[in-house]
Amino acid sequence: MAALAPVFRKAYWALIISVFLYITALIALTNPWLQRHVLYAHKVQMTWLQDINKPEQFGFAKNQITPFNFTTPDHETIYAWHVMPLGLYAKHESEILQQPSGFADDITQTKAFQLLRDDPDSRLIINFHGNAGTVAQGWRTDSYRALSDGSTSNIHILAIDYRGFGHSTGFPTEAGIITDGVAAVEWALQVVKIPSDRIVILGQSLGTAVTSAVVEHYAIKGVNFAGVVLVAGFTSLAELLPGYSIGGYLPVLSPLKSTPALLDLFSSQLVDKWPSAIRLANFVRLSKRVRLFLIHAKDDYEIPWSHAEGLFIAAANATTDEGMDLELLQKMKARNTVDMGDGSFISTWKSGNNKIIREQVVAYGHHSRVLTYATVSLAALKAFDLDDGGTLPV
């Protein structure tokens, strides 16, 4: 036993030091500047050795993607990609190859932009990515391919880097990123002149919070979109962090779960709240037409799929004037749920023919790879009424 004493002492002091470092880190994170650096991780990039102004490096056809900038109302410069559908590209390849490559100073002079603007059947997915990196990081480029390389040849993609990310100017805050998202939609509406009923707003992770805020903004103005797709979303930042681990390994506030007072104290220090469930409910309540898709993987190690349940309940409850008892709502949901095997399922909620909410939990896909799955592309096709009749199964 005496021989084990030094081992126990080392373990004891290692624990004490770990607790000290953890508490010190939490106190440091009450600083808004540092907190936002950790939350948005906008300086964490995996594309330093690649030129994102050359999308061919990521496997795209030459000039299939046009990098460009647009400006926000508060004078930030936002970097963006316009991804052309491969089928449409094939039809105009010879002309497109003759155009200058790389960053476009004036995107309106490109053939890709003109095909988007002038085709009365063109459709646009506005893509809001998660935290960290750029439009070209991780599974994001594969997701653009999955969305644009299908059988249709008229679905374009607009992907942006929020302020402070990649080549965009500024520093990220909740209000600022929402401004960026609204500015992206305004670019589509005012510059491209594409009507909102030919636009789908799609967000993943942090991008689901951006999407929820943006569609609420437009619902207040009476603007309806073809559809809204949220992949790996969360109900609010305060509800997410107690169970969230960075990369699935490094816990944030979960060690404080046993001490509710401390958990509440640190949660109250959040400078950006991202209350997506509230915003999504308001969007559903105010909109005349809703096609809302909530997609989550059961094996998501960063954001538990239970958040998709929370978003579904908030959205479904908003379709009724007085709200609904949770137990009754759950029973009604169960009657309209299809078991897909391996723990996956599809639940559909309909309020008349104008408001349809679909939650799909898939068995696999983790947090980001699920973006590349057929489930997400299918949701976009259904939102655009490009399925087998424009209706969703109940």
Side-chain angles (χ1 to χ4, degrees), residues 243-317:
Y244 180 75
S245 296
I246 299 173
Y249 298 102
L250 186 61
V252 180
L253 294 181
S254 56
L256 299 181
K257 282 184 177 181
S258 60
T259 314
L262 273 178
L263 181 61
D264 292 342
L265 175 63
F266 281 105
S267 294
S268 69
Q269 299 302 308
L270 291 173
V271 290
D272 292 337
K273 310 296 185 182
W274 294 109
S276 294
I278 294 172
R279 286 170 171 159
L280 204 61
N282 204 29
F283 152 71
V284 172
R285 191 175 297 111
L286 294 172
S287 298
K288 292 182 179 179
R289 180 185 184 277
V290 172
R291 296 292 185 272
L292 173 61
F293 300 81
L294 307 169
I295 299 169
H296 216 116
K298 269 224 164 177
D299 61 358
D300 188 332
Y301 52 81
E302 292 192 40
I303 299 179
W305 68 272
S306 58
H307 281 266
E309 292 275 274
L311 292 172
F312 181 90
I313 289 169
N317 211 17

Side-chain angles (χ1 to χ4, degrees), residues 163 173-183 209-210 213-214 217 274 279:
R163 62 187 61 201
T173 65
E174 181 174 1
I177 291 176
I178 293 171
T179 297
D180 302 338
V182 171
V210 181
V214 168
H217 170 88
W274 294 109
R279 286 170 171 159

Side-chain angles (χ1 to χ4, degrees), residues 111-312:
K111 181 65 176 179
F113 174 89
Q114 292 159 10
L115 289 169
L116 169 62
R117 179 193 61 195
D118 298 338
D119 180 3
D121 293 322
S122 67
R123 293 169 171 84
L124 179 65
I125 296 173
I126 299 179
N127 185 291
F128 297 134
H129 64 63
N131 70 344
T134 68
V135 290
Q137 185 152 305
W139 293 102
R140 292 166 191 170
T141 54
D142 288 327
S143 74
Y144 309 149
R145 265 187 288 274
L147 290 165
S148 65
D149 291 1
S151 59
T152 63
S153 61
N154 59 2
I155 298 179
H156 300 244
I157 300 169
L158 171 67
I160 74 165
D161 275 335
Y162 317 115
R163 62 187 61 201
F165 287 70
H167 294 321
S168 297
T169 64
F171 183 83
T173 65
E174 181 174 1
I177 291 176
I178 293 171
T179 297
D180 302 338
V182 171
V185 176
E186 286 300 300
W187 179 85
L189 295 174
Q190 305 302 326
V191 179
V192 184
K193 304 292 185 184
I194 189 168
S196 61
D197 61 4
R198 286 198 270 132
I199 296 175
V200 162
I201 314 292
L202 185 154
Q204 185 262 345
S205 194
L206 171 65
T208 65
V210 181
T211 298
S212 299
V214 168
V215 296
E216 179 196 36
H217 170 88
Y218 281 98
I220 292 171
K221 299 172 67 174
V223 176
N224 296 289
F225 297 101
V228 177
V229 181
L230 305 183
V231 184
F234 57 92
T235 54
S236 73
L237 199 56
E239 292 176 342
L240 169 64
L241 288 181
Y244 180 75
S245 296
I246 299 173
Y249 298 102
L250 186 61
V252 180
L253 294 181
S254 56
L256 299 181
K257 282 184 177 181
S258 60
T259 314
L262 273 178
L263 181 61
D264 292 342
L265 175 63
F266 281 105
S267 294
S268 69
Q269 299 302 308
L270 291 173
V271 290
D272 292 337
K273 310 296 185 182
W274 294 109
S276 294
I278 294 172
R279 286 170 171 159
L280 204 61
N282 204 29
F283 152 71
V284 172
R285 191 175 297 111
L286 294 172
S287 298
K288 292 182 179 179
R289 180 185 184 277
V290 172
R291 296 292 185 272
L292 173 61
F293 300 81
L294 307 169
I295 299 169
H296 216 116
K298 269 224 164 177
D299 61 358
D300 188 332
Y301 52 81
E302 292 192 40
I303 299 179
W305 68 272
S306 58
H307 281 266
E309 292 275 274
L311 292 172
F312 181 90

Side-chain angles (χ1 to χ4, degrees), residues 2 15 60 76 171 285 304:
L15 177 62
F60 294 95
E76 297 294 353
F171 183 83
R285 191 175 297 111

Side-chain angles (χ1 to χ4, degrees), residues 285 313-314 316-326 328-329 349:
R285 191 175 297 111
I313 289 169
N317 211 17
T319 62
T320 63
D321 292 334
E322 302 297 329
M324 187 177 298
D325 175 75
L326 180 58
L328 176 60
L329 190 152
W349 185 276

Side-chain angles (χ1 to χ4, degrees), residues 45-85:
Q45 297 186 28
M46 303 300 177
T47 54
W48 289 116
L49 300 179
Q50 296 165 298
D51 184 354
I52 62 175
N53 281 323
K54 295 180 179 179
E56 295 81 12
Q57 294 182 3
F58 302 91
F60 294 95
K62 190 175 181 63
N63 292 347
Q64 182 187 357
I65 291 181
T66 307
F68 72 102
N69 289 336
F70 62 85
T71 305
T72 66
D74 57 346
H75 310 296
E76 297 294 353
T77 299
I78 301 302
Y79 181 83
W81 273 6
H82 168 211
V83 185
M84 191 178 180

Side-chain angles (χ1 to χ4, degrees), residues 27-40 42 171-173 269-272:
I27 293 172
L29 286 174
T30 60
N31 175 276
W33 180 86
L34 181 58
Q35 185 181 128
R36 285 175 167 135
H37 266 280
V38 173
L39 171 61
Y40 298 117
H42 51 289
F171 183 83
T173 65
Q269 299 302 308
L270 291 173
V271 290
D272 292 337

